[in-house]
């Protein structure tokens, strides 16, 4: 379920990048965001140790960005090099392989919830992007 505090939408500054051009549910007026979804709900967030004590829980970009950074680092270790412009790889693999192969899911489609302006639904949406990245399984696509 998409978190109600999620951002997302369509850029009024940047055009649709080439790697998004074949996405079926894209709004063609600009760069659609986000690309992926990670846990950002403070209610399911994480606590952190800072200044000699525990604080939190945190959510939002403050939690989702470190999760993605760690995920990208793991993928780089698996392939033995930097992944470069990851969006190109992400969309190429998703468009050619979908959400999984047999019992191996690569991504989790998020189809419920919304942010007030957009609603999550099957496939790409402007609240959760392609969906949740299942890093250990997605590694097999890029390795």
């Amino acid at each position: 379920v998409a978190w109600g505090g999620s951002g997302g939408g369509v850029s009024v500054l940047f055009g649709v990048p080439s790697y998004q051009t074949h996405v079926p549910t894209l709004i063609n007026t600009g760069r659609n965001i986000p690309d992926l979804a990670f846990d950002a709900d403070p209610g399911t967030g994480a606590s952190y140790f800072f200044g000699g004590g525990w604080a939190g829980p945190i959510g939002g970009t403050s939690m989702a960005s470190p999760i993605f950074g760690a995920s990208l680092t793991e993928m780089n270790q698996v392939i033995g090099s930097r992944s470069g412009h990851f969006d190109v790889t992400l969309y190429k693999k998703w468009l050619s392989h979908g959400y999984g192969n047999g019992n191996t899911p690569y991504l989790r489609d998020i189809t419920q919830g919304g942010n007030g302006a957009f609603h999550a639904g099957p496939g790409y949406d402007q609240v959760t992007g392609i969906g949740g990245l299942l890093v250990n399984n997605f590694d097999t696509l890029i390795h």
Side-chain angles (χ1 to χ4, degrees):
V1 175
W3 176 49
S6 297
V10 182
S11 175
V12 296
L13 298 175
F14 300 102
V16 176
S18 60
Y19 52 83
Q20 280 190 330
T21 56
H22 299 293
V23 174
T25 54
L26 200 76
I27 297 172
N28 291 318
T29 58
R31 165 81 162 95
N32 285 229
I33 50 178
D35 298 307
L36 291 168
F38 291 93
D39 187 2
D41 184 347
T44 58
S47 294
Y48 58 98
F49 193 81
F50 179 77
W54 287 96
I58 60 168
T61 304
S62 297
M63 187 164 111
S65 290
I67 292 171
F68 177 68
S71 300
L72 194 56
T73 299
E74 178 185 313
M75 287 185 274
N76 289 342
Q77 290 173 340
V78 167
I79 63 175
S81 65
R82 292 185 178 178
S83 56
H85 192 188
F86 182 70
D87 282 339
V88 173
T89 300
L90 173 67
Y91 282 90
K92 180 180 178 184
K93 297 299 182 182
W94 175 63
L95 288 168
S96 62
H97 296 280
Y99 285 93
N101 182 11
N103 291 330
T104 305
Y106 306 125
L107 298 134
R108 180 178 297 119
D109 194 9
I110 301 168
T111 59
Q112 298 176 6
N115 63 8
F118 297 95
H119 300 281
Y124 181 90
D125 60 70
Q126 291 72 27
V127 180
T128 64
I130 293 169
L133 183 65
L134 300 171
V135 178
N136 290 336
N137 294 344
F138 195 80
D139 283 351
T140 63
L141 283 179
I142 60 173
H143 187 255

